[in-house]
Amino acid sequence: MLVLSRRVGERLVIGDNIVITVIDVRSDGVRIGIDAPREVQVNRAEVLEAVEKANAAAAAAADDDAVEALRALRPGSERRPEA
């Protein structure tokens, strides 16, 4: 991990097209601005972890009937008559 010290208004450049700017420094945290292309996802780690936990819990709670009902919703999932 690279650790840097920055002051308000100073920037970090990642690659050719991501710029991180220190906006404000307070006793309880730092505000940063992130300028990145639309195709680059920028997420807070705690939000991603919460979503992953919720998805895992939902998957564990799904029974066979629920799984089949979801599969039936997929395009092209119409059941063909058995021969």
Side-chain angles (χ1 to χ4, degrees):
M1 174 187 303
L2 174 64
V3 178
L4 300 169
S5 296
R6 300 277 78 199
R7 294 187 176 159
V8 173
E10 293 182 331
R11 300 175 181 194
L12 301 172
V13 179
I14 300 173
D16 293 330
N17 53 7
I18 300 172
V19 179
I20 299 174
T21 306
V22 178
I23 304 297
D24 190 20
V25 178
R26 299 179 183 172
S27 62
D28 62 340
V30 176
R31 292 183 66 216
I32 59 172
I34 302 168
D35 185 16
R38 285 191 173 272
E39 62 270 10
V40 175
Q41 288 189 8
V42 178
N43 297 296
R44 293 183 297 159
E46 63 273 13
V47 172
L48 287 178
E49 290 168 4
V51 168
E52 288 172 358
K53 246 185 190 176
N55 286 345
D63 59 11
D64 291 339
D65 292 335
V67 171
E68 285 304 315
L70 288 173
R71 284 189 179 134
L73 294 175
R74 286 191 304 193
S77 65
E78 296 81 22
R79 292 187 177 224
R80 297 182 183 147
E82 295 182 22

